[in-house]
Amino acid sequence: MDGLILHFDVLSDGLKSLITWIGDLLMRMDRLKWKDDLPIFERNFILFLDEIEVHLHPAWQRKILPVVQKLFKNAQIFISTHSPFVVGSVDGAWVHKLKKDGAYAVLDGKPILSEDGKSVRRILDETFGINQQYGVEVEKDLEKFREFRQKIMMGYEYNSDELNELVKYLASQSTELEQMMGMEMNQLKRITQKELV
């Protein structure tokens, strides 16, 4: 790895898992009785992989499917995944969303064509139905802020002390939220022509 020869035991669990299942697959394919003598990596076959991302760091999740596609260039590959990094790692693959319906998993809408130009944020939203970006409590507080903003924009009464505390709290959570709250409050000030907090 990176020009170094490493003992298998020092590798991460994800990398060990990856090497193990690819090695196991190659051994099993080598033991099969094929009609011809094509090398394993040139064979046409169907490969099913369940949760290909398990134990893998997000950086490896982005690489694993392209590596498998490159190794088995003639295989038709079906995978299940909960990783937006895996979904976003390939271009031109069909993504079929599944949902639970009683005791069954059923298709949820039409297939989506994967594009490696989509952001992880967009994949989380359109493929996994997750449009939140922050922790659960911060998302609740951001929703409260949006309600305040709506009241202000519509000219309704609001509790400025409560708004002030909420904005300060959100801004204290991270640099990103501090900048976002600053921009939101500046925009409200421009629109209302009033100093809000």
Side-chain angles (χ1 to χ4, degrees):
M1 177 180 266
D2 298 327
L4 298 173
I5 296 174
L6 301 175
H7 192 273
F8 190 74
D9 290 341
V10 301
L11 300 177
S12 68
D13 285 345
L15 197 50
K16 284 193 257 186
S17 171
L18 177 65
I19 292 168
T20 301
W21 74 255
I22 288 178
D24 183 62
L25 174 63
L26 292 173
M27 282 190 328
R28 289 171 188 267
M29 288 182 67
D30 188 52
R31 290 181 184 160
L32 291 174
K33 300 294 182 213
W34 299 90
K35 290 182 180 180
D36 52 40
D37 290 333
L38 275 177
I40 291 172
F41 295 114
E42 294 178 23
R43 294 207 170 275
N44 293 308
F45 64 97
I46 297 173
L47 179 60
F48 292 92
L49 299 170
D50 186 30
E51 295 186 5
I52 194 172
E53 77 279 2
V54 172
H55 303 298
L56 292 179
H57 184 279
W60 277 97
Q61 291 178 25
R62 293 179 69 234
K63 297 174 186 173
I64 182 61
L65 190 52
V67 165
V68 171
Q69 286 178 312
K70 190 173 181 179
L71 275 176
F72 305 110
K73 57 184 175 267
N74 295 325
Q76 185 176 7
I77 302 169
F78 294 86
I79 66 162
S80 69
T81 185
H82 293 102
S83 170
F85 300 106
V86 172
V87 172
S89 69
V90 294
D91 200 34
W94 287 106
V95 178
H96 298 267
K97 297 188 309 181
L98 299 174
K99 67 179 179 181
K100 191 171 183 274
D101 185 11
Y104 301 98
V106 296
L107 288 174
D108 184 14
K110 294 181 179 180
I112 301 167
L113 193 59
S114 71
E115 300 173 52
D116 57 5
K118 285 184 184 175
S119 68
V120 170
R121 174 75 254 139
R122 184 169 170 200
I123 293 167
L124 280 169
D125 187 23
E126 74 179 28
T127 304
F128 294 95
I130 299 171
N131 57 15
Q132 298 85 7
Q133 298 183 66
Y134 302 99
V136 174
E137 292 305 314
V138 169
E139 285 289 343
K140 286 179 187 175
D141 289 333
L142 284 169
E143 186 54 37
K144 286 180 197 171
F145 174 77
R146 289 181 199 107
E147 290 169 10
F148 270 114
R149 184 179 60 197
Q150 186 70 17
K151 285 180 182 178
I152 293 167
M153 298 290 285
M154 297 180 80
Y156 295 153
E157 292 292 317
Y158 65 94
N159 183 325
S160 61
D161 291 337
E162 193 178 332
L163 174 62
N164 191 30
E165 286 302 311
L166 182 61
V167 169
K168 281 183 182 178
Y169 175 75
L170 283 167
S172 72
Q173 296 303 298
S174 69
T175 304
E176 180 182 7
L177 284 167
E178 180 182 21
Q179 291 171 349
M180 185 171 75
M181 287 294 99
M183 288 187 295
E184 287 279 357
M185 296 312 292
N186 283 335
Q187 184 180 30
L188 283 172
K189 180 181 174 182
R190 268 194 318 275
I191 292 169
T192 63
Q193 300 292 309
K194 288 192 269 181
E195 193 69 47
L196 300 168
V197 292

